[in-house]
Amino acid sequence: MLPQDQMIIVQQYVSICFITELYNNNFLESQFFNDMKFDNESIKDCIKAINIDNDGMFLIFLYSLLLIPKEKIYDVYKDEYDALDKKIDGLKIPLDSTYPASHKKYIRHIRNAIAHGKVEFKEDSIFFNDDYRGNQFCVEIPRCKIGDILTDLQKILLNYVTDLKNGRSF
């Protein structure tokens, strides 16, 4: 049995994989879903209306992929997180920052924006705003690029889960 701080990351990773597969396999169109009984049947209609792929689920995914893992495994997988920062920077997306030009810590600031509820959804983009000690870091990421970022974050957690499975100690 894994220690709690490791198990929670594994559980978050597995839950994201499970929810993604429900979506990929059109679970909301399945007979199983149609036959499900809810204490409040109107919830079923809400679920069908908003689908699995929605802004709230996106935030849940990012929370699971960033908040606790960033605190627990960042140092071990720093190279992977740094590579993702460079990949995001390569997208040449709009960035408004009072930090020095060399400070392109997208993952850190996206994580902080999520933690403090400073995320704004627009039709084609998602804005992440992190204010800290008089500095601001606001980045606009096109929705069409978010999936790639989620996939890369999932890969980092998969590396962690694989390392645990192979007996690596942290």
Side-chain angles (χ1 to χ4, degrees):
M1 188 66 149
L2 295 172
Q4 181 177 341
D5 62 333
Q6 293 176 347
M7 182 57 82
I8 198 73
I9 295 172
V10 172
Q11 290 169 343
Q12 288 175 294
Y13 171 73
V14 169
S15 295
I16 287 170
C17 292
F18 179 67
I19 292 168
T20 300
E21 289 308 316
L22 290 175
Y23 175 75
N24 290 341
N25 287 283
N26 297 313
F27 176 71
L28 299 184
E29 304 303 320
S30 72
Q31 191 61 46
F32 184 85
F33 179 77
N34 288 329
D35 292 343
M36 286 177 70
K37 300 293 180 211
F38 288 78
D39 286 340
N40 179 347
E41 280 297 313
S42 67
I43 293 295
K44 186 184 249 183
D45 293 332
C46 288
I47 292 170
K48 284 193 94 95
I50 65 170
N51 205 340
I52 294 171
D53 183 18
N54 62 65
D55 293 342
M57 188 60 69
F58 168 74
L59 278 179
I60 290 169
F61 275 30
L62 276 178
Y63 184 94
S64 295
L65 291 168
L66 281 175
L67 265 65
I68 293 174
K70 177 77 169 64
E71 298 302 316
K72 299 290 184 182
I73 67 172
Y74 178 80
D75 291 338
V76 177
Y77 297 95
K78 185 178 182 325
D79 291 343
E80 287 90 338
Y81 285 109
D82 288 347
L84 184 50
D85 277 334
K86 287 179 184 164
K87 182 177 180 178
I88 295 169
D89 191 47
L91 297 175
K92 304 297 183 205
I93 53 182
L95 172 65
D96 180 19
S97 177
T98 58
Y99 286 90
S102 62
H103 179 91
K104 301 268 178 98
K105 301 291 184 185
Y106 293 92
I107 294 303
R108 174 182 153 197
H109 293 293
I110 290 170
R111 178 237 173 258
N112 291 347
I114 293 163
H116 298 285
K118 294 187 176 185
V119 180
E120 184 179 350
F121 294 93
K122 299 288 185 177
E123 187 173 330
D124 295 327
S125 299
I126 303 170
F127 292 83
F128 299 91
N129 187 22
D130 181 27
D131 295 311
Y132 183 70
R133 294 187 180 174
N135 284 307
Q136 181 180 7
F137 193 96
C138 183
V139 64
E140 175 186 355
I141 300 179
R143 286 183 182 263
C144 64
K145 299 297 182 186
I146 292 293
D148 293 339
I149 294 169
L150 287 173
T151 298
D152 288 344
L153 288 168
Q154 255 185 299
K155 286 177 185 175
I156 294 170
L157 261 62
L158 174 59
N159 290 341
Y160 176 72
V161 169
T162 301
D163 286 347
L164 286 174
K165 187 176 180 183
N166 291 332
R168 182 175 179 185
S169 59
F170 293 91

